[in-house]
Amino acid sequence: MTCEPVRIDSWPRGILHLDGDGFFASIEQAIHPELKGRPVVTGIERGIVAAASYEAKAYGVKRGVPLSEVRKLCPQCVMLPSDYETYSLFSKRMYAIMRDFTPEVEEYSIDEAFADLTGFRMLYHCSYEEIARRMKIQVEKDLGITVSVGLSLSKSLAKLCSKFRKPSGFTAVPGHQLHILLARTPLEKVWGFGPNKTAYLNKLGLKTAYDYVRLSRDFVKRRLGKIGVEIWSELQGEYVYKIDVNAKQEYQSICKSKTFLPPSPDPDYVKAQLLRNLESACIKARRYDLVAGRMTVYLKRQNFTTVGLEAVLSRPTVATLQLAPLARGLFEKIFEGGTEYRATGVVLSHLEKAKPIQFGLFENPLQAVKIEEASKAIDAINAHYGKHSIFVGDALKLQGRPRGKNDIRTYRRDHLLPGETARRHIGLPLLAVDPDSRIIGACADATPKPPRILN
């Protein structure tokens, strides 16, 4: 390697990035040991791959590929419905294991997390590499999945390292070896560089991350602004993007969408799906005490094209009963008779913290207050009896209707624990199933059934 070191100090900080390998598919293999070593994908309910195991990826199966294409690439692939409830519980357990090593853990996404190990060498009497390896082993042992771990001086570098070897990889790059990692990293692999920025840098003659960090700070600031300088500094090992240990409480927008199979041209059914999205988005916004200034609704056609409309609200709100008439009106404007739709979605944007209501000149204050109170009562009832126990009347069109492939039930949904209902589960995944499909541990009284698998 002919390039010169970027810095000579090895570990001014120890920042770790942990990344689940094929997270959803790996969890399915952990829950169902009979699937280990077999190609597995999740996402039957959407008709496209949500996650693929590495055995499936070996056949060229990627995320977002239609299942019909998967059958051509890998006829023996096992296809499962997504069980997001169980994936979320695994994710929480993964964060908890990481916090056993350090309190500074950032829950970046359901399958990724950052951790700051700085200062813990004295506590554990070992190097940062050894601490990171112990964490990796503990996660894999407790969850039965593999994870890839990167360790370096900043979040950007740690994320590069975790992607360097997969699956079950471990890459630690101290400061005096950064030039080797950066010289082997194409610009398009750098966290924060999109296709346009990469194309622009390529036109300047830059090919690798090392080429980028060799630019002067002034040049980067003039050409790429503040974000460009932040990425440039992170790649040099400066700790710019701090570990955020707080659970996410702030949102710029909230989006709820639903893909349904088979696609439908039925206006009542598609509208019912849209109103269900609206209810879910409003519930989440109220949970964080937010109100929305704008609402967007959209419909995705069977040919994957999308049509939508945005409305500016006269007063910020997330009361479903106030937004539902507006959503119906927008739906009537964008729905095209005779067209098959495969998905609907609602986006609540321009979110802000809820404040005392300021009524407009032509509003009915009494009615508005009653609707706000009704929303609180609905939330309380749904919290006790399960989400969507009370719903807007349009959603009645979803009741008892054949749901096609979307009705394929997850293993967790088919195995309720004593006291659970279809709408209300306790936060406990069914983790251990022996090769004879006998449930071990918490679900001893449940009648064991094999998982439903669609080949």
Side-chain angles (χ1 to χ4, degrees):
M1 192 63 61
T2 57
C3 52
E4 299 176 352
V6 176
R7 61 190 304 159
I8 57 174
D9 48 343
S10 293
W11 294 107
R13 301 196 74 87
I15 305 299
L16 175 146
H17 179 247
L18 188 145
D19 187 11
D21 300 321
F23 196 61
F24 298 168
S26 295
I27 290 172
E28 295 290 353
Q29 290 176 320
I31 296 173
H32 310 300
E34 70 276 13
L35 298 182
K36 284 188 179 295
R38 298 177 62 185
V40 175
V41 300
T42 66
I44 281 183
E45 73 284 358
R46 298 174 60 198
I48 59 175
V49 175
S53 68
Y54 276 81
E55 293 84 356
K57 290 180 180 178
Y59 288 89
V61 177
K62 298 178 181 177
R63 188 177 179 183
V65 171
L67 296 184
S68 57
E69 185 67 21
V70 174
R71 294 187 183 94
K72 296 176 185 175
L73 293 170
C74 182
Q76 70 274 32
C77 191
V78 178
M79 302 180 189
L80 299 169
S82 301
D83 181 3
Y84 293 109
E85 179 186 3
T86 295
Y87 305 156
S88 176
L89 293 170
F90 266 73
S91 182
K92 290 178 181 176
R93 179 58 187 148
M94 182 177 77
Y95 302 144
I97 295 169
M98 295 178 71
R99 289 194 177 94
D100 287 341
F101 289 84
T102 170
E104 293 195 50
V105 173
E106 176 179 336
E107 302 174 5
Y108 184 70
S109 69
I110 191 169
D111 62 344
E112 291 182 67
F114 291 97
D116 188 351
L117 305 181
T118 307
F120 283 88
R121 286 181 295 191
M122 183 183 297
L123 176 66
Y124 291 106
H125 303 290
C126 62
S127 65
Y128 289 138
E129 294 98 315
E130 181 59 28
I131 300 171
R133 285 187 184 278
R134 290 182 189 178
M135 184 187 293
K136 178 179 186 298
I137 292 170
Q138 195 66 44
V139 170
E140 293 180 337
K141 178 183 175 184
D142 285 10
L143 300 187
I145 63 175
T146 63
V147 296
S148 293
V149 168
L151 177 69
S152 195
L153 280 58
S154 66
K155 289 171 70 173
S156 296
L157 290 169
K159 195 171 174 68
L160 272 183
C161 291
S162 67
K163 305 290 183 187
F164 202 70
R165 296 185 182 90
K166 285 177 90 54
S168 196
F170 180 88
T171 303
V173 178
H176 66 272
Q177 294 179 349
L178 284 184
H179 60 292
I180 301 174
L181 172 70
L182 298 178
R184 294 176 179 175
T185 303
L187 284 171
E188 59 267 26
K189 298 293 184 183
V190 173
W191 190 27
F193 281 172
N196 290 331
K197 195 166 290 183
T198 300
Y200 172 67
L201 292 173
N202 288 158
K203 285 182 171 56
L204 296 179
L206 309 181
K207 300 297 181 186
T208 68
Y210 182 79
D211 296 335
Y212 184 66
V213 300
R214 291 290 87 184
L215 298 173
S216 71
R217 178 184 287 268
D218 289 341
F219 182 86
V220 172
K221 187 175 183 180
R222 282 199 312 273
R223 297 298 184 96
L224 298 173
K226 180 185 175 186
I227 301 298
V229 173
E230 289 177 352
I231 296 172
W232 180 84
S233 302
E234 279 264 314
L235 292 177
Q236 298 221 18
E238 296 179 28
Y239 184 52
V240 178
Y241 299 138
K242 308 300 182 188
I243 299 287
D244 183 0
V245 299
N246 298 313
K248 191 170 184 179
Q249 297 286 335
E250 297 181 359
Y251 292 86
Q252 299 297 319
S253 64
I254 291 175
C255 176
K256 290 292 181 181
S257 62
K258 180 72 173 179
T259 300
F260 38 89
L261 286 176
S264 175
D266 182 350
D268 292 336
Y269 178 72
V270 178
K271 184 165 60 177
Q273 292 283 5
L274 185 72
L275 269 294
R276 178 57 58 88
N277 298 149
L278 175 64
E279 285 184 310
S280 297
C282 289
I283 289 170
K284 184 172 182 179
R286 290 197 294 267
R287 187 187 311 150
Y288 293 102
D289 197 26
L290 299 170
V291 290
R294 297 189 183 188
M295 178 179 70
T296 303
V297 302
Y298 65 87
L299 308 177
K300 183 178 285 187
R301 304 182 184 94
Q302 175 60 3
N303 62 4
F304 289 91
T305 59
T306 302
V307 59
L309 277 177
E310 182 184 78
V312 179
L313 307 180
S314 58
R315 172 174 55 79
T317 181
V318 285
T320 308
L321 296 178
Q322 288 183 323
L323 294 176
L326 178 59
R328 294 187 191 102
L330 296 176
F331 171 82
E332 298 298 336
K333 292 181 179 178
I334 60 177
F335 184 85
E336 301 165 357
T339 301
E340 287 193 325
Y341 294 92
R342 57 179 286 114
T344 62
V346 169
V347 182
L348 300 178
S349 58
H350 291 67
L351 298 176
E352 59 185 64
K353 279 293 181 185
K355 301 173 184 175
I357 302 175
Q358 295 291 326
F359 296 106
L361 181 62
F362 301 104
E363 281 192 278
N364 183 340
L366 183 59
Q367 183 187 47
V369 170
K370 285 184 176 179
I371 288 176
E372 296 286 344
E373 293 298 321
S375 295
K376 294 178 183 177
I378 291 170
D379 287 344
I381 294 171
N382 285 339
H384 186 76
Y385 292 102
K387 191 177 179 183
H388 299 307
S389 293
I390 294 184
F391 49 84
V392 295
D394 305 72
L396 283 170
K397 298 293 181 182
L398 303 177
Q399 304 296 313
R401 187 183 177 104
R403 300 171 64 191
K405 291 181 180 179
N406 206 29
D407 201 29
I408 296 174
R409 299 159 70 93
T410 63
Y411 184 76
R412 183 67 180 86
R413 191 176 167 191
D414 269 344
H415 293 79
L416 299 179
L417 297 172
E420 288 187 326
T421 68
R423 291 194 174 278
R424 191 180 186 195
H425 295 177
I426 61 175
L428 184 65
L430 300 182
L431 299 179
V433 180
D434 70 10
D436 296 323
S437 294
R438 288 178 298 163
I439 301 173
I440 300 169
C443 192
D445 295 331
T447 303
K449 298 176 184 176
R452 293 190 177 189
I453 299 172
L454 180 64
N455 285 300

